[in-house]
């Protein structure tokens, strides 16, 4: 078991570190939440590993209860991650405050258990081929578990709602998230049932949450929607001299060509999955004000000079006519505008009487 917990620790810590390295802007909340989620799961599986390798009964009992810091924070971070992904904004401050306050109160109850025994009625360490902490639980324990289920279930319902409301072309990512959350919930539910009916004390829930963090990481950074990328690229093939950016249903950047990346001084890797709000302000205002299939000009400093672009916004729909995203084209018309202005000036000067 120690080897299994150690492998899980390495995986969760690696995902947290990699997500941290991928955080490029202060507005990249999803990566931040994923980092915290990875750290929480990492602490959880590290606790299980230490319980397995230590021989001090007192240390084992303390670590066994302290791991509830991670157990309480993991479902909350899971809910925050799903909320941010599908609502495009951080969870409301009041909601976060209420959930965090409940978690803190429950953690205080756990740490003060020696004085009231509402969380654990008894704790015993059994050393066999694997270290087992046999527990007899009080009402506060089941309150903590129900609160965990409430938060994880809420996240599951949000993903399920998104899954059912999306065109089929977008459902694969939500399906992966559903699988990850469902596995974690099912794993803990099986453990609780076995613990009550058979006095089973080995909990594989942290392993399932390690898998879930991996699913979220893959969904955020590497997942490709079958069909959407090909459709966007087919429109880009004949527009290689243009700046092209594709926004998905939530106005997150799904694809941007090299010209557009160079235009705003970024890279495709840094822009992928970022919100439209991370673009320059004047560019956001121009895109939002532009009507579909219409053109408008936008000025910005790019390539070390003032550049005038003509913007054109195209709405993408699937075969059933449902909206699946937006493509915006940026055409450099700086030189063309200068020629027009020069011709206008020459025309105006030609019409002036000679002095």
């Amino acid at each position: 078991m120690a080897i299994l917990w150690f492998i899980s620790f390495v995986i969760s810590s690696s995902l947290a570190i990699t997500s941290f390295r991928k955080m490029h802007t202060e507005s990249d909340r999803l990566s931040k939440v994923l980092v915290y989620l990875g750290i929480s799961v990492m602490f959880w599986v590290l606790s299980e590993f230490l319980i397995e390798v230590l021989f001090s009964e007192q240390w084992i009992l303390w670590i066994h209860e302290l791991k509830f810091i991670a157990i309480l924070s993991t479902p909350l971070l899971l809910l925050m991650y799903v909320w941010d992904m599908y609502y495009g904004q951080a969870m409301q401050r009041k909601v976060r405050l209420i959930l965090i306050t409940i978690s803190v109160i429950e953690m205080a109850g756990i740490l003060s258990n020696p004085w009231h025994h509402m969380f654990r009625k008894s704790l015993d360490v059994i050393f066999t081929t694997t270290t087992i902490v046999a527990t007899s639980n009080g009402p506060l324990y089941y309150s903590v578990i129900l609160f965990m289920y409430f938060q994880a279930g809420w996240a599951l319902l949000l993903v399920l709602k998104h899954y059912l409301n999306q065109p089929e072309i977008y459902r694969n990512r939500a399906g992966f998230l559903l699988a990850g959350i469902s596995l974690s919930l099912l794993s803990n539910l099986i453990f609780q049932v076995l613990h009550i009916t058979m006095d089973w004390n080995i909990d594989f829930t942290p392993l399932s949450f390690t898998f879930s963090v991996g699913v979220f990481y893959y969904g955020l950074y590497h997942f490709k929607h079958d069909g959407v990328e090909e459709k966007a690229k087919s429109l880009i093939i004949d527009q290689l001299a243009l700046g092209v950016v594709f926004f998905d249903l939530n106005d997150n950047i799904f694809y941007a060509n090299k010209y557009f990346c160079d235009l705003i001084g970024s890279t495709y890797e840094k822009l992928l999955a970022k919100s439209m709000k991370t673009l320059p302000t004047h560019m956001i205002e121009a895109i939002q004000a532009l009507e579909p299939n219409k053109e408008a000009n936008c000025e910005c400093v790019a390539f070390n000079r003032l550049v005038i672009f003509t913007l054109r916004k195209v709405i993408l729909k699937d075969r059933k006519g449902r909206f699946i995203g937006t493509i915006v084209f940026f055409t450099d018309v700086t030189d063309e505008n200068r020629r027009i202005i020069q011709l206008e000036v020459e025309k105006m000067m030609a019409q002036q009487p000679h002095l």
Side-chain angles (χ1 to χ4, degrees):
M1 285 296 295
I3 295 175
L4 194 60
W5 294 126
F6 181 76
I7 293 173
S8 184
F9 169 74
V10 171
I11 293 173
S12 57
S13 57
S14 299
L15 291 171
I17 293 170
T18 308
S19 297
F20 178 78
R21 289 177 176 174
K22 286 182 175 290
M23 289 194 309
H24 300 291
T25 64
E26 289 298 319
S27 60
D28 187 8
R29 296 185 305 270
L30 270 177
S31 290
K32 288 183 180 179
V33 176
L34 190 58
V35 170
Y36 298 144
L37 182 59
I39 291 173
S40 181
V41 175
M42 178 183 71
F43 181 77
W44 192 348
V45 295
L46 177 61
S47 300
E48 299 290 353
F49 173 74
L50 292 175
I51 289 171
E52 193 68 31
V53 298
L54 292 176
F55 294 98
S56 169
E57 183 174 329
Q58 189 61 42
W59 274 103
I60 290 174
L61 293 177
W62 268 105
I63 293 172
H64 189 269
E65 301 304 271
L66 283 174
K67 73 179 181 182
F68 272 86
I69 296 174
I71 292 174
L72 283 166
S73 60
T74 297
L76 174 59
L77 290 167
L78 174 68
L79 177 59
M80 290 173 61
Y81 179 87
V82 171
W83 189 295
D84 203 335
M85 172 168 281
Y86 292 125
Y87 282 102
Q89 60 184 9
M91 183 186 291
Q92 289 94 330
R93 187 175 180 181
K94 289 183 179 179
V95 178
R96 286 204 315 269
L97 185 60
I98 291 172
L99 295 177
I100 291 172
T101 301
I102 294 174
S103 298
V104 171
I105 292 172
E106 291 189 328
M107 195 64 218
I110 293 170
L111 296 178
S112 60
N113 185 71
W115 290 275
H116 55 72
H117 299 288
M118 295 289 288
F119 183 69
R120 302 286 196 197
K121 295 178 181 178
S122 65
L123 274 174
D124 296 299
V125 180
I126 302 172
F127 293 101
T128 58
T129 52
T130 182
T131 303
I132 297 175
V133 180
T135 62
S136 177
N137 301 317
L140 181 57
Y141 172 83
Y142 295 104
S143 172
V144 170
I145 297 303
L146 287 175
F147 185 54
M148 278 182 57
Y149 285 159
F150 169 74
Q151 294 176 99
W154 191 355
L156 185 68
L157 289 176
L158 287 178
V159 178
L160 181 61
K161 178 183 176 183
H162 181 81
Y163 177 85
L164 296 175
N165 290 338
Q166 295 304 296
E168 292 181 7
I169 200 169
Y170 276 109
R171 285 186 175 179
N172 288 345
R173 174 184 284 177
F176 273 102
L177 297 186
L178 276 175
I181 299 173
S182 299
L183 178 63
S184 299
L185 278 172
L186 183 61
S187 175
N188 190 261
L189 183 61
I190 292 173
F191 166 73
Q192 299 300 334
V193 171
L194 292 177
H195 180 72
I196 295 171
T197 58
M198 301 174 54
D199 200 26
W200 181 270
N201 290 287
I202 301 176
D203 186 6
F204 292 102
T205 305
L207 295 178
S208 63
F209 269 108
T210 302
F211 172 78
S212 296
V213 173
V215 169
F216 298 156
Y217 178 89
Y218 175 75
L220 182 59
Y221 296 117
H222 299 289
F223 189 85
K224 302 296 183 183
H225 292 292
D226 295 337
V228 179
E229 186 175 10
E230 287 73 15
K231 188 164 187 176
K233 286 182 177 179
S234 67
L235 293 174
I236 293 169
I237 292 175
D238 296 327
Q239 313 289 342
L240 295 178
L242 304 178
V244 183
V245 59
F246 172 42
F247 300 99
D248 65 14
L249 291 172
N250 300 313
D251 282 338
N252 296 321
I253 297 173
F254 178 75
Y255 180 83
N257 70 343
K258 186 177 185 303
Y259 190 97
F260 179 82
C261 295
D262 293 341
L263 168 63
I264 63 172
S266 187
T267 64
Y268 174 69
E269 288 73 20
K270 291 182 179 180
L271 290 175
L272 182 63
K274 301 300 184 298
S275 170
M276 180 191 295
K277 296 177 182 178
T278 60
L279 298 178
T281 304
H282 61 276
M283 193 174 287
I284 299 172
E285 293 173 349
I287 294 173
Q288 291 178 338
L290 184 61
E291 295 182 10
N293 299 317
K294 300 289 184 180
E295 292 185 352
N297 286 347
C298 172
E299 294 184 0
C300 65
V301 177
F303 310 118
N304 298 318
R305 63 189 178 97
L306 179 65
V307 182
I308 302 173
F309 287 96
T310 294
L311 274 66
R312 184 175 180 84
K313 182 160 65 175
V314 176
I315 300 299
L316 287 181
K317 296 182 179 180
D318 63 11
R319 294 178 180 178
K320 296 181 179 180
R322 293 175 296 188
F323 172 70
I324 60 172
T326 305
I327 288 185
V328 181
F329 298 95
F330 293 77
T331 307
D332 186 350
V333 294
T334 307
D335 294 335
E336 181 181 341
N337 276 28
R338 286 174 178 169
R339 285 195 296 270
I340 293 174
I341 292 172
Q342 184 177 357
L343 289 173
E344 290 291 335
V345 170
E346 292 176 354
K347 181 179 179 180
M348 182 181 67
M349 294 299 294
Q351 291 175 350
Q352 296 296 319
H354 295 286
L355 298 177

